[in-house]
Amino acid sequence: MSKAAFTGLKAVQELRFHLCQTSKGSEGVRNFLMSSYKTLKAASPSTPVLIRESSGAEGKLYARYDMGVEKCVKLEGLDAKGVEKCLQDLVSSVPK
Amino acid sequence: MTRLAVARKASREAYKTLFGARAGAMRAMSAEAAPNPDTVPVTVNGQEVHVPKGVTVLYACEQAGVDVPRFCYHHKLSIAGNCRMCLVEVEKSPKPVASCAMPVMPGMNIKTTTDLVKKAREGVMEFLLINHPLDCPICDQGGECELQDQSYIFGSDRSRFTEYKRAVEDKELGPLVKTVMTRCIHCTRCVRFSTEIAGVQDMGITGRGNQAEVGTYISKLLASELSGNVIDLCPVGALTSKPFAFTARSWELEGTPSIDVTDGLGSNIRVDTRGNEVMRIVPRANEEVNEEWISDKARFSYDALKRQRLDRPMVRGSDGKLQETSWEFALDYVAEKLKATEPDAIRAVAGKLCDAESMISLKDMMNKLGASHTTPEGMANVSADVRSSYLFNSNLVGVEDADYVLLIGTNPRTEAPVLNVRLRRAVIAGGATVTSVGPNADLSYPSTHLGDTTATLEEITSGKHAVCEAIKAANNPMVIVGSELLRRADSKILLKKIHAMCDELGVVKGDWNGFNVLHDAGGTVGALDIGFVPGTSASNDVPAKLVYSLGAEEFDAPAGAFIVYQGHHGAQGASKADVILPGAAYTEKTGTYVNTEGRAQVAVASMGPVGQAKEDWRILRALSEFAGVPLPYNTHEQVHRRLAEVAPHFAKLNEVEATLWMNGATYAHEKARKADASIPFKSSVENFFMTDVISKTSATMAKCTEARNEMNA
Ligand code: SF4
Ligand code: FES
């Protein structure tokens, strides 16, 4: 996956991933972060990508845009590809 | 591969080694009814219990729910067996036995309610009281004195003693511990604490028999950051708190469970108040955090809660002086400024003692205004992305499993004295090796100083240093990075190297994560956890025009910038302010603090804020309304729910979450640069007694500093 996939990231103020450290449902989130965290940071080094783990937590992704607007998608049960898709949706749908 | 540091629970076998199998087994196991090859059956007052082999008779009694009076025995200290108060009868034993020192035998028949036991205890009490003054009415221990309690039960109502009582000269132990040594019953708890736990060989017994005296051999203060704990340990009124002396009786006090913020451990404390005044602070036991100890700063800096307080809103008038004003005016004034300033020129800085609730309120409000330049005080450079990169991953209890500890830029003795107790135990009882790159300090246990330069560190991280082999060979190697390293401008590049080394040398392997960051204040981890870091659009290109300091003392503000200070003490930060919004200190608000291992704990308000001051998150909630960006929460529960929405571990109070280790990805995007070789590593704590706005305001802490300087002079 290349940096180009996340070029829209600069329009996002902050990303927050919620996940469980061990659950099956968060496996996709974990795999995605392990493989793509570097790419995310390379695409936009100044964007905080907060990875917040807690046992039993549901896989979720929050994006914070300008003026404190937040959007959330559920990632529970998705595989790494699905997580990436959700992220790209959030990144490309910047609210006006 | 994801590597998890499995959260470790309190029952650690590591304790075992400390005081022999007896004490260890006591804590590590629970008595089970089912016969088990490692347990033995004993009878206590006719009731059969199964207890682990080798434990004491006293432990067996406790398991059976039978209380045995004791003075010298303490489960954290070695067994002295010298007060004889714990005598019980054991069948077939010719004499009563001291239960704290006697190991159980299979089939032992223990009796604690017989006439013989009663007579023995009465005898011991009579002897103890021969030389004990009858000054309970003027003794600060009165009401919570073990000797007083026991004499109610076993004391005689008249004395057979007609001679003169012995008198002992009081000892000078410094500004914290008051001594009335005539009251001493020579249990030696204080002596054992100093030597075994605090690791200072200052206290001891001089003289024999009737001449025996407890004290420091030469008159000097207790050179320990933990000296206040002897006050709790002393079963009588011989050692009491000097600042608390004659200020209140124990039964007038109301205790509230709280969390200490003066260092990063989040020690559990109880704040004792009378009316709207903090009278004293004592520890609460939490085996996983502070065991039963707290540092002297946590215990004694409370006098500052009554000094130099900001108790009413103030604005700087046209004459340049701060003037009292109303809340309404102050909030309106700040809100207008916030609205009129372009968002990119707004900065928000969160101080190191802040609760998570106030920080999330400030962050949310700033974000809603379009400002995203939010930083934790002094930590502007730190990445909050991955929790394992800024937490104490092996947990505080994990320290006792470590067999090799590399300290980088930290002096745990001054930065976290209670953690140092565990480190000391790992060294003395567990045989761990401690080496240090950073300050060359006396840690109260043997350690090797490798140097204090980045060159030394780079030698280690590149695998060329001699210690690398030892780290590799260790089963549970541990690296402790001090918070001062995080404050360096080149911190990321250093951390990148340290992370790579952790992978390389097996500091992180299997379910062991030995990469640890030791924070030095109660609010920093909370700030990082909620992501109180600059957002994407934040940049320093636009110079700051408005700085909002939430209790931060040190922050950059260009001349002419409008400064809002919200906090509780009038010090460095407030002196620069154009508007002061008086907030609450940690004892005056219910707030969540995350300790250095990532454990979220709630401190309950023990009293209301002083004067017109308000709880901090409420001030921000009100301000957001004035600024036209109302925050979506109105109650403490709602803010707390918001915290859990930002980071789910806030919903799991008192627990430690295992952290994800990113296998070097954390700093992969950092470009390789050279670290700044001109700055040596040092500890973030120069003077243990004065580290934050509260301890710097405290008169007691000032006295301690003076006494310590005199001693070292
Ligand atoms: S001063 Fe207190 S703790 Fe120390 S030996 Fe005497 S009675 Fe025990
Ligand atoms: S408690 Fe057993 S001898 Fe003191």
Side-chain angles (χ1 to χ4, degrees), chain B residues 55 176 216 320 454 559:
Chain B
V55 301
L176 300 177
T216 51
T454 53

Side-chain angles (χ1 to χ4, degrees), chain B residues 71 181 183-191 203 205 214 230 233-239:
Chain B
F71 294 120
M181 292 321 277
R183 296 178 188 148
C184 173
I185 58 166
H186 308 103
C187 70
T188 70
R189 277 189 190 181
C190 56
V191 178
M203 291 199 85
I205 294 202
V214 169
V230 298
L233 285 174
C234 183
V236 298
L239 307 178

Side-chain angles (χ1 to χ4, degrees), chain B residues 58 69-73 80-87 98-101:
Chain B
L58 187 104
R70 84 253 351 228
F71 294 120
C72 70
Y73 176 77
N82 59 10
C83 75
R84 314 316 277 180
M85 193 59 201
C86 63
L87 293 176
S99 62
C100 71

